[in-house]
Coordinates of all heavy atoms in Angstrom, one line a residue:
M1383 N 34.4 -8.1 5.9 CA 34.1 -7.4 4.6 C 32.8 -8.0 4.0 O 32.0 -7.3 3.5 CB 35.3 -7.4 3.7 CG 35.1 -6.6 2.5 SD 35.0 -4.9 2.9 CE 35.2 -4.1 1.4
Q1384 N 32.7 -9.3 4.0 CA 31.6 -10.0 3.4 C 30.2 -9.6 4.1 O 29.3 -9.3 3.4 CB 31.7 -11.5 3.5 CG 30.7 -12.3 2.8 CD 30.8 -12.1 1.2 OE1 31.8 -11.8 0.7 NE2 29.7 -12.2 0.6
E1385 N 30.3 -9.4 5.4 CA 29.1 -9.0 6.2 C 28.7 -7.6 5.8 O 27.5 -7.3 5.7 CB 29.4 -9.1 7.7 CG 29.4 -10.5 8.2 CD 29.7 -10.5 9.7 OE1 29.4 -9.6 10.4 OE2 30.2 -11.5 10.1
V1386 N 29.6 -6.7 5.6 CA 29.3 -5.4 5.2 C 28.7 -5.3 3.8 O 27.7 -4.6 3.6 CB 30.6 -4.5 5.2 CG1 30.4 -3.1 4.6 CG2 31.1 -4.3 6.6
L1387 N 29.2 -6.1 2.9 CA 28.7 -6.2 1.5 C 27.3 -6.8 1.5 O 26.4 -6.3 0.8 CB 29.6 -7.0 0.6 CG 30.9 -6.4 0.2 CD1 31.8 -7.4 -0.6 CD2 30.6 -5.1 -0.6
E1388 N 27.0 -7.8 2.4 CA 25.7 -8.3 2.4 C 24.7 -7.4 3.0 O 23.6 -7.2 2.5 CB 25.7 -9.6 3.3 CG 26.4 -10.8 2.6 CD 26.5 -12.0 3.6 OE1 25.8 -12.0 4.6 OE2 27.2 -12.9 3.2
A1389 N 25.1 -6.6 4.0 CA 24.2 -5.6 4.6 C 23.9 -4.5 3.6 O 22.8 -4.0 3.4 CB 24.9 -5.0 5.9
W1390 N 24.9 -4.1 2.9 CA 24.8 -3.0 1.9 C 23.8 -3.5 0.8 O 23.0 -2.8 0.3 CB 26.1 -2.6 1.3 CG 26.0 -1.6 0.2 CD1 25.9 -0.3 0.4 CD2 26.0 -1.8 -1.2 NE1 25.8 0.4 -0.9 CE2 25.8 -0.5 -1.8 CE3 26.0 -2.9 -2.0 CZ2 25.7 -0.4 -3.2 CZ3 25.9 -2.8 -3.4 CH2 25.8 -1.5 -4.0
F1391 N 24.0 -4.8 0.3 CA 23.2 -5.4 -0.7 C 21.7 -5.4 -0.3 O 20.8 -5.1 -1.1 CB 23.7 -6.7 -1.1 CG 23.0 -7.3 -2.3 CD1 23.2 -6.7 -3.6 CD2 22.3 -8.4 -2.3 CE1 22.5 -7.2 -4.7 CE2 21.6 -8.9 -3.4 CZ 21.8 -8.3 -4.6
C1392 N 21.5 -5.8 0.9 CA 20.1 -5.9 1.4 C 19.5 -4.5 1.4 O 18.3 -4.3 1.1 CB 20.0 -6.5 2.9 SG 20.3 -8.2 2.9
R1393 N 20.2 -3.5 1.9 CA 19.8 -2.1 1.9 C 19.5 -1.6 0.5 O 18.5 -0.9 0.2 CB 20.8 -1.2 2.6 CG 20.5 0.2 2.6 CD 19.3 0.6 3.4 NE 18.9 1.9 3.3 CZ 17.9 2.5 3.9 NH1 17.1 1.9 4.7 NH2 17.7 3.8 3.7
W1394 N 20.4 -2.0 -0.5 CA 20.2 -1.6 -1.9 C 18.9 -2.2 -2.4 O 18.2 -1.5 -3.1 CB 21.4 -2.0 -2.7 CG 21.2 -1.7 -4.1 CD1 21.0 -2.5 -5.2 CD2 21.3 -0.4 -4.7 NE1 20.9 -1.8 -6.3 CE2 21.1 -0.5 -6.1 CE3 21.5 0.9 -4.2 CZ2 21.1 0.6 -6.9 CZ3 21.6 2.0 -5.0 CH2 21.4 1.8 -6.4
K1395 N 18.6 -3.4 -2.1 CA 17.4 -4.0 -2.6 C 16.1 -3.2 -2.1 O 15.2 -3.0 -2.8 CB 17.2 -5.5 -2.1 CG 18.1 -6.4 -2.8 CD 17.8 -7.8 -2.3 CE 18.7 -8.9 -2.9 NZ 18.5 -10.2 -2.3
A1396 N 16.2 -2.9 -0.8 CA 15.1 -2.1 -0.2 C 15.0 -0.7 -0.9 O 13.8 -0.3 -1.2 CB 15.3 -1.9 1.3
E1397 N 16.1 -0.1 -1.2 CA 16.0 1.2 -1.9 C 15.5 1.1 -3.3 O 14.7 2.0 -3.7 CB 17.4 1.8 -1.9 CG 18.0 2.3 -0.6 CD 17.2 3.4 0.0 OE1 16.7 4.3 -0.7 OE2 17.2 3.5 1.2
V1398 N 15.8 0.1 -4.0 CA 15.3 -0.2 -5.4 C 13.9 -0.4 -5.3 O 13.1 0.2 -6.1 CB 16.1 -1.3 -6.1 CG1 15.4 -1.7 -7.3 CG2 17.5 -1.0 -6.3
V1399 N 13.4 -1.2 -4.4 CA 12.0 -1.5 -4.3 C 11.2 -0.2 -4.0 O 10.2 0.0 -4.6 CB 11.7 -2.6 -3.3 CG1 10.2 -2.7 -3.0 CG2 12.2 -4.0 -3.8
H1400 N 11.7 0.5 -3.0 CA 11.1 1.8 -2.6 C 11.0 2.7 -3.8 O 9.9 3.3 -4.0 CB 11.9 2.4 -1.5 CG 11.3 3.7 -1.0 ND1 10.2 3.8 -0.3 CD2 11.8 4.9 -1.1 CE1 9.9 5.1 -0.1 NE2 10.9 5.8 -0.6
R1401 N 12.1 2.9 -4.5 CA 12.0 3.8 -5.7 C 11.0 3.4 -6.7 O 10.2 4.2 -7.3 CB 13.4 3.9 -6.3 CG 13.5 4.9 -7.4 CD 14.8 5.0 -8.1 NE 15.0 3.8 -8.9 CZ 16.1 3.0 -8.8 NH1 17.1 3.4 -8.1 NH2 16.2 1.9 -9.5
L1402 N 11.0 2.0 -7.1 CA 10.0 1.5 -8.1 C 8.6 1.8 -7.6 O 7.8 2.2 -8.4 CB 10.3 0.1 -8.3 CG 11.5 -0.3 -9.1 CD1 11.8 -1.7 -9.2 CD2 11.5 0.3 -10.5
Y1403 N 8.3 1.4 -6.4 CA 6.9 1.6 -5.9 C 6.6 3.1 -5.8 O 5.5 3.5 -6.2 CB 6.8 1.0 -4.5 CG 6.7 -0.5 -4.5 CD1 7.0 -1.3 -3.4 CD2 6.4 -1.2 -5.6 CE1 6.9 -2.6 -3.4 CE2 6.3 -2.6 -5.7 CZ 6.6 -3.3 -4.5 OH 6.5 -4.6 -4.5
K1404 N 7.5 3.9 -5.4 CA 7.2 5.3 -5.2 C 6.9 5.9 -6.6 O 6.0 6.7 -6.7 CB 8.3 6.0 -4.5 CG 8.0 7.4 -4.1 CD 9.2 8.0 -3.2 CE 8.9 9.3 -2.8 NZ 9.9 9.9 -1.9
Q1405 N 7.7 5.6 -7.6 CA 7.5 6.2 -8.9 C 6.4 5.6 -9.6 O 5.6 6.3 -10.3 CB 8.8 6.0 -9.7 CG 10.0 6.8 -9.2 CD 11.3 6.5 -10.0 OE1 11.3 5.5 -10.7 NE2 12.3 7.3 -9.8
N1406 N 6.2 4.3 -9.6 CA 5.3 3.6 -10.5 C 3.9 3.3 -9.9 O 2.9 3.1 -10.6 CB 5.8 2.3 -11.0 CG 7.1 2.6 -11.8 OD1 7.1 3.5 -12.6 ND2 8.1 1.7 -11.7
L1407 N 3.8 3.4 -8.6 CA 2.5 3.1 -7.9 C 1.9 4.2 -7.1 O 1.0 4.1 -6.4 CB 2.7 1.8 -7.0 CG 3.1 0.5 -7.6 CD1 3.2 -0.5 -6.6 CD2 2.0 0.1 -8.6
G1408 N 2.5 5.4 -7.3 CA 2.0 6.6 -6.7 C 2.1 6.6 -5.2 O 1.2 7.0 -4.5
Q1409 N 3.2 6.1 -4.7 CA 3.4 6.0 -3.2 C 4.2 7.2 -2.7 O 4.8 7.1 -1.6 CB 4.2 4.8 -2.9 CG 3.4 3.6 -3.0 CD 4.0 2.4 -2.3 OE1 5.2 2.3 -2.2 NE2 3.2 1.5 -1.9
G1410 N 4.2 8.3 -3.4 CA 4.9 9.5 -2.9 C 4.5 10.0 -1.6 O 5.3 10.6 -0.9
R1411 N 3.3 9.7 -1.2 CA 2.8 10.1 0.1 C 3.0 9.1 1.2 O 2.6 9.4 2.4 CB 1.3 10.5 0.0 CG 1.1 11.6 -0.9 CD -0.3 12.1 -0.9 NE -0.4 13.3 -1.8 CZ -1.3 13.4 -2.7 NH1 -2.2 12.5 -3.0 NH2 -1.4 14.4 -3.5
S1412 N 3.5 8.0 0.9 CA 3.7 6.9 1.9 C 4.8 7.3 2.9 O 5.9 7.7 2.5 CB 4.1 5.6 1.2 OG 4.3 4.6 2.2
Q1413 N 4.5 7.2 4.2 CA 5.5 7.4 5.2 C 6.0 6.2 5.9 O 6.6 6.2 6.9 CB 4.8 8.3 6.3 CG 4.4 9.7 5.8 CD 5.5 10.5 5.4 OE1 6.6 10.6 6.0 NE2 5.3 11.2 4.2
A1414 N 5.9 5.0 5.1 CA 6.3 3.7 5.7 C 7.8 3.7 5.8 O 8.5 4.1 4.9 CB 5.9 2.6 4.7
R1415 N 8.3 3.3 6.9 CA 9.8 3.2 7.1 C 10.3 1.8 7.0 O 11.4 1.7 6.5 CB 10.1 3.7 8.6 CG 9.6 5.1 8.8 CD 10.8 6.0 8.8 NE 10.4 7.4 9.1 CZ 10.8 8.4 8.5 NH1 11.8 8.3 7.6 NH2 10.4 9.6 8.8
S1416 N 9.5 0.8 7.3 CA 10.0 -0.5 7.3 C 9.7 -1.2 5.9 O 8.8 -0.8 5.2 CB 9.5 -1.4 8.4 OG 8.1 -1.7 8.1
F1417 N 10.5 -2.1 5.6 CA 10.3 -2.8 4.3 C 8.9 -3.5 4.2 O 8.2 -3.5 3.2 CB 11.5 -3.8 4.1 CG 11.5 -4.4 2.7 CD1 11.7 -3.7 1.6 CD2 11.2 -5.8 2.5 CE1 11.7 -4.2 0.3 CE2 11.2 -6.4 1.3 CZ 11.5 -5.6 0.2
A1418 N 8.6 -4.1 5.3 CA 7.3 -4.8 5.4 C 6.1 -3.9 5.2 O 5.2 -4.2 4.6 CB 7.2 -5.6 6.7
A1419 N 6.3 -2.7 5.8 CA 5.2 -1.7 5.7 C 5.1 -1.2 4.3 O 4.0 -0.9 3.7 CB 5.4 -0.5 6.6
Q1420 N 6.2 -1.0 3.6 CA 6.2 -0.6 2.2 C 5.6 -1.6 1.3 O 4.8 -1.3 0.4 CB 7.7 -0.4 1.7 CG 8.4 0.9 2.3 CD 9.7 1.0 1.8 OE1 10.2 0.4 0.9 NE2 10.5 1.9 2.5
L1421 N 5.8 -3.0 1.6 CA 5.2 -4.0 0.8 C 3.7 -4.0 1.0 O 3.0 -4.2 0.1 CB 5.8 -5.4 1.2 CG 7.2 -5.6 0.7 CD1 7.7 -6.9 1.2 CD2 7.3 -5.5 -0.8
M1422 N 3.3 -3.8 2.3 CA 1.8 -3.8 2.6 C 1.2 -2.7 1.9 O 0.1 -2.7 1.3 CB 1.6 -3.8 4.1 CG 1.9 -5.1 4.8 SD 0.9 -6.5 4.1 CE -0.7 -6.0 4.5
H1423 N 1.8 -1.5 1.9 CA 1.3 -0.3 1.2 C 1.2 -0.5 -0.2 O 0.2 -0.2 -0.9 CB 2.1 0.9 1.6 CG 1.5 2.2 1.0 ND1 0.4 2.8 1.5 CD2 1.9 2.9 -0.1 CE1 0.1 3.9 0.8 NE2 1.0 4.0 -0.1
A1424 N 2.2 -1.1 -0.8 CA 2.2 -1.4 -2.3 C 1.1 -2.4 -2.6 O 0.4 -2.2 -3.6 CB 3.5 -2.0 -2.7
E1425 N 0.9 -3.4 -1.8 CA -0.2 -4.3 -2.0 C -1.6 -3.6 -2.0 O -2.5 -3.8 -2.9 CB -0.3 -5.4 -1.0 CG -1.4 -6.4 -1.2 CD -1.4 -7.5 -0.1 OE1 -0.5 -7.7 0.6 OE2 -2.5 -8.1 -0.1
L1426 N -1.8 -2.7 -1.1 CA -3.0 -1.9 -1.0 C -3.2 -1.0 -2.2 O -4.3 -0.9 -2.8 CB -3.1 -1.1 0.3 CG -3.3 -1.8 1.6 CD1 -3.2 -0.9 2.7 CD2 -4.7 -2.5 1.5
V1427 N -2.1 -0.4 -2.7 CA -2.2 0.5 -3.9 C -2.6 -0.4 -5.1 O -3.5 0.0 -5.9 CB -0.8 1.1 -4.2 CG1 -0.8 1.8 -5.5 CG2 -0.5 2.2 -3.1
V1428 N -2.0 -1.6 -5.2 CA -2.3 -2.4 -6.4 C -3.8 -2.9 -6.3 O -4.5 -2.9 -7.3 CB -1.3 -3.6 -6.5 CG1 -1.8 -4.6 -7.5 CG2 0.1 -3.1 -6.8
R1429 N -4.2 -3.3 -5.1 CA -5.5 -3.7 -4.9 C -6.5 -2.6 -5.2 O -7.6 -2.8 -5.8 CB -5.8 -4.3 -3.5 CG -5.2 -5.6 -3.3 CD -5.3 -6.1 -1.9 NE -6.7 -6.4 -1.6 CZ -7.1 -6.7 -0.4 NH1 -6.3 -6.8 0.6 NH2 -8.4 -6.9 -0.2
A1430 N -6.2 -1.4 -4.8 CA -7.1 -0.2 -5.0 C -7.2 0.0 -6.5 O -8.3 0.3 -7.0 CB -6.6 1.0 -4.3
F1431 N -6.1 0.0 -7.2 CA -6.1 0.2 -8.7 C -6.9 -0.9 -9.4 O -7.7 -0.6 -10.2 CB -4.7 0.2 -9.2 CG -4.6 0.5 -10.7 CD1 -5.0 1.8 -11.1 CD2 -4.4 -0.4 -11.6 CE1 -4.9 2.1 -12.5 CE2 -4.4 -0.1 -12.9 CZ -4.6 1.1 -13.4
H1432 N -6.8 -2.1 -9.0 CA -7.6 -3.3 -9.5 C -9.1 -3.0 -9.2 O -9.9 -3.3 -10.1 CB -7.1 -4.5 -8.9 CG -7.8 -5.7 -9.5 ND1 -7.7 -6.2 -10.8 CD2 -8.7 -6.6 -8.9 CE1 -8.5 -7.2 -11.0 NE2 -9.1 -7.5 -9.9
A1433 N -9.4 -2.7 -8.0 CA -10.8 -2.4 -7.7 C -11.4 -1.3 -8.5 O -12.5 -1.4 -9.0 CB -10.9 -2.1 -6.2
M1434 N -10.6 -0.3 -8.8 CA -11.1 0.9 -9.6 C -11.3 0.4 -11.0 O -12.3 0.8 -11.7 CB -10.1 2.0 -9.5 CG -10.8 3.3 -10.0 SD -9.7 4.7 -9.8 CE -8.7 4.5 -11.3
R1435 N -10.4 -0.4 -11.5 CA -10.6 -0.9 -12.9 C -11.8 -1.8 -13.0 O -12.6 -1.7 -14.0 CB -9.4 -1.8 -13.3 CG -8.2 -0.9 -13.6 CD -7.1 -1.7 -14.2 NE -7.5 -2.2 -15.5 CZ -7.0 -3.3 -16.1 NH1 -6.0 -3.9 -15.5 NH2 -7.4 -3.7 -17.3
E1436 N -12.1 -2.6 -12.0 CA -13.4 -3.4 -12.0 C -14.6 -2.5 -12.0 O -15.6 -2.7 -12.7 CB -13.4 -4.3 -10.7 CG -12.5 -5.4 -10.8 CD -12.6 -6.3 -9.6 OE1 -13.0 -5.8 -8.5 OE2 -12.1 -7.5 -9.7
V1437 N -14.6 -1.4 -11.2 CA -15.7 -0.5 -11.2 C -15.9 0.2 -12.6 O -17.0 0.3 -13.1 CB -15.5 0.6 -10.1 CG1 -16.5 1.7 -10.2 CG2 -15.6 0.0 -8.7
R1438 N -14.8 0.6 -13.2 CA -14.8 1.3 -14.5 C -15.3 0.3 -15.5 O -16.0 0.7 -16.5 CB -13.5 1.8 -14.8 CG -13.0 2.9 -14.0 CD -13.4 4.2 -14.4 NE -12.9 4.6 -15.7 CZ -13.0 5.7 -16.3 NH1 -13.6 6.7 -15.7 NH2 -12.5 5.9 -17.5
L1439 N -15.0 -1.0 -15.4 CA -15.5 -2.0 -16.4 C -17.0 -2.2 -16.2 O -17.7 -2.4 -17.2 CB -14.7 -3.3 -16.3 CG -13.3 -3.2 -16.8 CD1 -12.6 -4.6 -16.5 CD2 -13.3 -3.1 -18.3
A1440 N -17.4 -2.2 -15.0 CA -18.9 -2.4 -14.6 C -19.7 -1.2 -15.0 O -20.9 -1.4 -15.5 CB -19.0 -2.7 -13.2
F1441 N -19.1 0.0 -14.9 CA -19.9 1.2 -15.2 C -19.0 2.1 -16.1 O -18.3 3.0 -15.6 CB -20.2 2.0 -13.9 CG -21.0 1.2 -12.9 CD1 -20.3 0.6 -11.8 CD2 -22.3 0.9 -13.1 CE1 -21.0 -0.1 -10.9 CE2 -23.0 0.2 -12.1 CZ -22.4 -0.4 -11.1
P1442 N -19.0 1.8 -17.4 CA -18.0 2.5 -18.4 C -18.1 4.0 -18.4 O -17.1 4.7 -18.5 CB -18.4 1.9 -19.7 CG -19.1 0.7 -19.4 CD -19.8 0.8 -18.1
G1443 N -19.3 4.6 -18.1 CA -19.4 6.0 -18.2 C -19.2 6.8 -17.0 O -19.2 8.0 -16.9
M1444 N -18.8 6.0 -15.9 CA -18.6 6.7 -14.6 C -17.3 7.5 -14.6 O -16.3 7.1 -15.2 CB -18.4 5.6 -13.5 CG -18.4 6.1 -12.1 SD -18.2 4.8 -10.9 CE -19.8 4.2 -10.9
A1445 N -17.4 8.7 -14.0 CA -16.2 9.6 -13.9 C -15.1 8.9 -13.1 O -15.4 8.1 -12.2 CB -16.6 10.9 -13.3
W1446 N -13.9 9.3 -13.4 CA -12.7 8.7 -12.8 C -12.8 8.9 -11.2 O -12.5 8.0 -10.5 CB -11.5 9.3 -13.3 CG -10.2 8.8 -12.9 CD1 -9.4 9.2 -11.9 CD2 -9.5 7.6 -13.4 NE1 -8.3 8.4 -11.7 CE2 -8.4 7.4 -12.6 CE3 -9.8 6.7 -14.4 CZ2 -7.5 6.3 -12.9 CZ3 -8.9 5.6 -14.6 CH2 -7.8 5.5 -13.9
R1447 N -13.0 10.1 -10.8 CA -13.1 10.4 -9.4 C -14.2 9.6 -8.7 O -14.0 9.1 -7.6 CB -13.4 11.9 -9.2 CG -12.2 12.8 -9.5 CD -11.4 13.0 -8.3 NE -10.3 14.0 -8.6 CZ -9.2 14.1 -7.9 NH1 -9.1 13.5 -6.8 NH2 -8.3 14.9 -8.2
H1448 N -15.3 9.5 -9.3 CA -16.4 8.7 -8.7 C -16.1 7.3 -8.6 O -16.3 6.6 -7.6 CB -17.7 9.0 -9.5 CG -18.9 8.4 -8.8 ND1 -19.4 8.8 -7.6 CD2 -19.7 7.3 -9.2 CE1 -20.4 8.1 -7.2 NE2 -20.7 7.2 -8.2
A1449 N -15.4 6.8 -9.7 CA -14.9 5.4 -9.7 C -13.9 5.1 -8.5 O -14.0 4.1 -7.9 CB -14.4 5.0 -11.0
Q1450 N -13.1 6.1 -8.3 CA -12.1 6.0 -7.2 C -12.8 5.9 -5.9 O -12.4 5.1 -5.0 CB -11.2 7.2 -7.2 CG -10.1 7.2 -8.2 CD -9.2 8.5 -8.1 OE1 -9.7 9.5 -7.9 NE2 -7.9 8.3 -8.3
R1451 N -13.8 6.7 -5.7 CA -14.6 6.7 -4.4 C -15.3 5.4 -4.2 O -15.2 4.8 -3.1 CB -15.5 7.9 -4.4 CG -16.1 8.2 -3.1 CD -16.9 9.4 -3.0 NE -16.0 10.6 -3.2 CZ -16.2 11.5 -4.2 NH1 -17.1 11.4 -5.0 NH2 -15.3 12.5 -4.3
V1452 N -16.0 4.9 -5.2 CA -16.7 3.7 -5.1 C -15.8 2.5 -4.8 O -16.0 1.7 -4.0 CB -17.6 3.4 -6.4 CG1 -18.2 2.0 -6.4 CG2 -18.7 4.5 -6.5
A1453 N -14.7 2.5 -5.6 CA -13.7 1.4 -5.4 C -13.1 1.5 -4.0 O -12.9 0.4 -3.4 CB -12.6 1.5 -6.5
G1454 N -12.8 2.7 -3.6 CA -12.2 2.8 -2.2 C -13.1 2.3 -1.1 O -12.7 1.7 -0.1
E1455 N -14.4 2.7 -1.3 CA -15.4 2.2 -0.3 C -15.5 0.7 -0.3 O -15.6 0.1 0.8 CB -16.7 2.8 -0.6 CG -16.8 4.3 -0.3 CD -18.0 5.0 -0.8 OE1 -18.9 4.3 -1.4 OE2 -18.2 6.2 -0.5
R1456 N -15.5 0.1 -1.5 CA -15.6 -1.4 -1.6 C -14.4 -2.0 -1.0 O -14.5 -3.0 -0.2 CB -15.7 -1.8 -3.1 CG -17.0 -1.6 -3.7 CD -17.0 -2.1 -5.1 NE -18.3 -1.8 -5.7 CZ -18.6 -2.1 -7.0 NH1 -17.7 -2.7 -7.7 NH2 -19.8 -1.8 -7.5
L1457 N -13.2 -1.5 -1.3 CA -11.9 -2.1 -0.7 C -11.9 -1.9 0.8 O -11.5 -2.8 1.5 CB -10.7 -1.4 -1.4 CG -9.4 -1.9 -1.1 CD1 -9.3 -3.4 -1.4 CD2 -8.3 -1.1 -1.7
L1458 N -12.3 -0.8 1.3 CA -12.3 -0.5 2.7 C -13.2 -1.5 3.4 O -12.9 -2.1 4.5 CB -12.7 0.9 3.1 CG -12.6 1.3 4.5 CD1 -11.1 1.2 5.0 CD2 -13.0 2.8 4.6
T1459 N -14.4 -1.7 2.8 CA -15.3 -2.7 3.4 C -14.8 -4.1 3.4 O -14.9 -4.8 4.4 CB -16.7 -2.7 2.6 OG1 -17.2 -1.3 2.6 CG2 -17.7 -3.6 3.2
E1460 N -14.1 -4.5 2.3 CA -13.5 -5.8 2.2 C -12.4 -5.9 3.3 O -12.3 -7.0 3.9 CB -12.9 -5.9 0.8 CG -12.3 -7.2 0.5 CD -11.6 -7.2 -0.9 OE1 -12.3 -6.8 -1.8 OE2 -10.5 -7.6 -1.0
I1461 N -11.5 -4.9 3.4 CA -10.5 -5.0 4.4 C -11.0 -5.1 5.8 O -10.5 -5.9 6.7 CB -9.5 -3.8 4.2 CG1 -8.7 -3.9 2.9 CG2 -8.6 -3.7 5.4 CD1 -8.0 -2.7 2.6
K1462 N -12.0 -4.3 6.2 CA -12.6 -4.3 7.5 C -13.2 -5.7 7.8 O -13.1 -6.1 8.9 CB -13.6 -3.2 7.6 CG -13.0 -1.8 7.8 CD -14.1 -0.8 8.0 CE -13.5 0.6 8.2 NZ -14.6 1.6 8.5
A1463 N -13.8 -6.3 6.8 CA -14.5 -7.6 7.0 C -13.4 -8.7 7.3 O -13.7 -9.6 8.0 CB -15.3 -8.0 5.8
A1464 N -12.2 -8.5 6.6 CA -11.2 -9.5 6.8 C -10.3 -9.3 8.0 O -9.6 -10.2 8.4 CB -10.3 -9.6 5.6
S1465 N -10.4 -8.1 8.6 CA -9.5 -7.8 9.7 C -10.1 -8.2 11.1 O -11.3 -8.1 11.2 CB -9.2 -6.3 9.8 OG -8.6 -5.8 8.6
P1466 N -9.2 -8.6 12.0 CA -9.8 -8.9 13.3 C -10.1 -7.6 14.0 O -9.6 -6.6 13.8 CB -8.5 -9.6 14.0 CG -7.4 -9.2 13.3 CD -7.8 -8.9 11.9
P1467 N -11.1 -7.7 14.9 CA -11.5 -6.5 15.6 C -10.4 -6.0 16.5 O -9.6 -6.8 17.1 CB -12.7 -7.0 16.5 CG -12.6 -8.4 16.6 CD -11.9 -8.8 15.3
R1468 N -10.3 -4.7 16.7 CA -9.3 -4.0 17.5 C -9.9 -3.8 18.9 O -11.1 -3.5 19.0 CB -8.9 -2.7 17.0 CG -8.1 -2.8 15.6 CD -7.6 -1.5 15.3 NE -7.3 -1.4 13.9 CZ -6.8 -0.3 13.3 NH1 -6.5 0.7 14.0 NH2 -6.5 -0.3 12.1
R1469 N -9.1 -3.8 19.9 CA -9.5 -3.5 21.2 C -9.2 -2.0 21.4 O -8.1 -1.6 21.1 CB -8.8 -4.3 22.3 CG -9.3 -5.7 22.3 CD -8.9 -6.4 23.5 NE -7.6 -7.1 23.2 CZ -6.8 -7.5 24.1 NH1 -7.1 -7.3 25.4 NH2 -5.7 -8.1 23.8
R1470 N -10.1 -1.3 22.0 CA -9.8 0.2 22.3 C -9.0 0.3 23.5 O -9.3 -0.4 24.5 CB -11.1 0.9 22.3 CG -11.9 0.9 21.0 CD -13.1 1.8 21.1 NE -13.8 1.8 19.9 CZ -13.9 2.8 19.0 NH1 -13.4 3.9 19.4 NH2 -14.5 2.7 17.9
L1471 N -8.2 1.4 23.5 CA -7.4 1.7 24.7 C -8.2 2.7 25.6 O -8.9 3.5 25.1 CB -6.1 2.4 24.3 CG -5.1 1.5 23.6 CD1 -3.9 2.3 23.2 CD2 -4.7 0.3 24.4
G1472 N -8.2 2.4 26.9 CA -8.8 3.4 27.8 C -8.0 4.6 28.1 O -6.9 4.7 27.5
K1473 N -8.4 5.4 29.0 CA -7.6 6.6 29.3 C -6.3 6.1 30.0 O -6.3 5.2 30.8 CB -8.4 7.5 30.3 CG -9.5 8.2 29.6 CD -10.1 9.1 30.6 CE -11.2 9.9 29.9 NZ -11.9 10.9 30.8
G1474 N -5.2 6.8 29.6 CA -3.9 6.4 30.1 C -3.2 5.3 29.4 O -2.2 4.8 29.8
G1475 N -3.9 4.7 28.4 CA -3.3 3.7 27.5 C -3.6 2.3 28.0 O -3.2 1.3 27.4
E1476 N -4.4 2.1 29.1 CA -4.7 0.7 29.5 C -5.8 0.2 28.7 O -6.6 0.9 28.2 CB -5.0 0.7 31.0 CG -6.3 1.3 31.4 CD -6.2 2.8 31.7 OE1 -5.1 3.3 31.7 OE2 -7.2 3.4 31.9
R1477 N -5.9 -1.1 28.7 CA -6.9 -1.8 27.9 C -8.1 -2.2 28.8 O -8.0 -2.5 29.8 CB -6.4 -3.1 27.2 CG -5.4 -2.7 26.2 CD -5.0 -3.9 25.4 NE -4.0 -3.5 24.4 CZ -4.2 -3.5 23.1 NH1 -5.4 -4.0 22.6 NH2 -3.3 -3.2 22.3

């Protein structure tokens, strides 16, 4: 019985986190299934919002949509610079 309760409690934690992120961070479009993927997506959402606030502070008269675009480009460049290069798959899935 204790194992069942522990499993249920872990699942409940994941559901609560998912609901909070989905409602408060605009993750309604996230298709993440694992808890780790949800956390990574939430981190990206928070980083994107922070980047947009920085752009809006630097350029106060900038339109919201334009600030989103500029912040997104900056964040994408930052992520690509920090990520290891990917190897491309050949035809048939071989490397």
Side-chain angles (χ1 to χ4, degrees):
M1383 186 65 169
Q1384 187 66 28
E1385 289 179 25
V1386 171
L1387 286 174
E1388 287 176 13
W1390 179 83
F1391 188 64
C1392 288
R1393 176 65 184 182
W1394 178 253
K1395 285 181 183 179
E1397 291 293 331
V1398 169
V1399 168
H1400 177 71
R1401 185 184 69 229
L1402 287 172
Y1403 284 158
K1404 192 172 182 179
Q1405 289 175 349
N1406 298 321
L1407 297 177
Q1409 289 194 330
R1411 295 187 177 129
S1412 174
Q1413 297 296 317
R1415 301 256 182 217
S1416 71
F1417 187 68
Q1420 290 178 13
L1421 289 177
M1422 287 301 296
H1423 184 73
E1425 180 183 343
L1426 286 174
V1427 168
V1428 170
R1429 285 178 67 187
F1431 183 73
H1432 180 69
M1434 197 176 79
R1435 287 190 63 204
E1436 286 179 341
V1437 169
R1438 294 274 296 189
L1439 286 173
F1441 306 102
M1444 187 179 286
W1446 185 265
R1447 290 267 184 196
H1448 188 63
Q1450 283 179 321
R1451 191 170 297 122
V1452 171
E1455 290 170 359
R1456 286 183 183 179
L1457 187 60
L1458 188 58
T1459 302
E1460 180 183 312
I1461 290 170
K1462 283 182 179 180
S1465 299
R1468 295 188 200 182
R1469 288 193 269 162
R1470 294 186 180 247
L1471 295 176
K1473 289 186 178 182
E1476 68 273 355
R1477 291 186 182 250

